[in-house]
């Protein structure tokens, strides 16, 4: 039977800089325990620093930096295969027959990973009728133990939203 258990602890602190501007930071710790998977436990620590700003009544935004480090327990790529087959059948196998994949390949979602991420948002409300929002995010993931497969990834995201509110009962956005 596959088991999954997560424990998450976090703390956040916010400081009002003046006006509608705030500086906040926080840390989160997450421990995940699994059975029948290549890695029994992962511990992930994430910290962030965020600046919320509103220079005018018609605009606001935020900028955020996040650092995350995930540490996995000993990697054993035979676990999924061995736990998914009859023990008598497994006893007849040798060497690479015990692996579903290359034994050096690591599953990215449970492997050690370091992530740096920068994200931000800008919102403009030039009138009661129109709203414009922009959101961007850039992240780099580094997998330090990868010998085969993914060793680093870059993710870029951008979104834009235009909203129209002809009156208080109607809103349309694209």
């Amino acid at each position: 039977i596959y088991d999954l258990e997560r424990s998450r602890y976090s703390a956040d602190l916010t400081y009002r800089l003046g006006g509608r501007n705030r500086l906040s930071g926080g840390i989160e710790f997450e421990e995940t325990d699994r059975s029948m998977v290549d890695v029994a436990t992962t511990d992930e620590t994430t910290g962030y620093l965020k600046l919320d700003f509103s220079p005018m009544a018609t605009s606001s935004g935020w900028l955020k930096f996040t650092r995350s480090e995930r540490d996995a327990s000993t990697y054993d790529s035979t676990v999924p295969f061995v736990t998914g087959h009859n023990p008598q059948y497994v006893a007849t196998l040798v060497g690479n027959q015990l692996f579903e994949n290359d034994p050096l390949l690591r599953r990215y979602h449970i492997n050690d990973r370091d992530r740096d991420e920068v994200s931000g948002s800008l919102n403009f409300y030039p009138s009661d009728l129109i709203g414009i929002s922009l959101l961007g995010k850039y992240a780099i993931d580094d997998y330090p133990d990868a010998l085969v497969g993914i060793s680093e990834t870059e993710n870029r995201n951008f979104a834009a939203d235009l909203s129209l509110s002809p009156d208080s009962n109607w809103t349309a956005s694209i």
Side-chain angles (χ1 to χ4, degrees):
I1 296 176
Y2 177 75
D3 289 324
L4 174 68
E5 182 180 327
R6 281 196 173 109
S7 300
R8 190 177 289 157
Y9 309 95
S10 64
D12 298 289
L13 182 64
T14 300
Y15 178 74
R16 187 171 300 281
L17 296 170
R20 295 183 304 250
N21 303 316
R22 293 183 313 236
L23 183 62
S24 57
I27 191 162
E28 179 180 286
F29 176 76
E30 179 180 274
E31 181 181 69
T32 306
D33 295 316
R34 300 173 180 86
S35 64
M36 299 176 62
V37 182
D38 311 69
V39 171
T41 62
T42 55
D43 297 325
E44 187 162 357
T45 304
T46 303
Y48 77 91
L49 189 59
K50 182 179 180 186
L51 174 65
D52 289 283
F53 54 90
S54 184
M56 300 179 291
T58 58
S59 64
S60 66
W62 54 267
L63 187 61
K64 183 178 182 182
F65 174 74
T66 306
R67 170 72 178 179
S68 177
E69 295 179 1
R70 180 174 60 210
D71 295 316
S73 60
T74 303
Y75 204 98
D76 183 356
S77 52
T78 64
V79 171
F81 185 84
V82 171
T83 58
H85 288 84
N86 181 308
Q88 289 79 19
Y89 170 69
V90 172
T92 66
L93 303 175
V94 293
N96 284 344
Q97 294 175 325
L98 293 171
F99 299 96
E100 292 179 304
N101 295 309
D102 185 321
L104 298 177
L105 187 65
R106 301 292 181 252
R107 298 175 196 258
Y108 74 94
H109 66 286
I110 56 175
N111 196 22
D112 290 351
R113 183 202 66 215
D114 298 330
R115 173 179 286 165
D116 291 310
E117 181 179 291
V118 176
S119 55
S121 174
L122 294 173
N123 306 293
F124 305 102
Y125 306 100
S127 72
D128 291 341
L129 176 68
I130 298 172
I132 301 166
S133 296
L134 305 172
L135 176 67
K137 183 178 359 179
Y138 176 75
I140 296 176
D141 290 348
D142 179 41
Y143 300 92
D145 296 336
L147 300 174
V148 174
I150 296 174
S151 61
E152 183 177 286
T153 62
E154 282 187 47
N155 294 299
R156 294 180 188 100
N157 298 296
F158 179 76
D161 181 67
L162 172 64
S163 61
L164 302 171
S165 302
D167 66 37
S168 61
N169 295 323
W170 291 91
T171 300
S173 68
I174 53 172

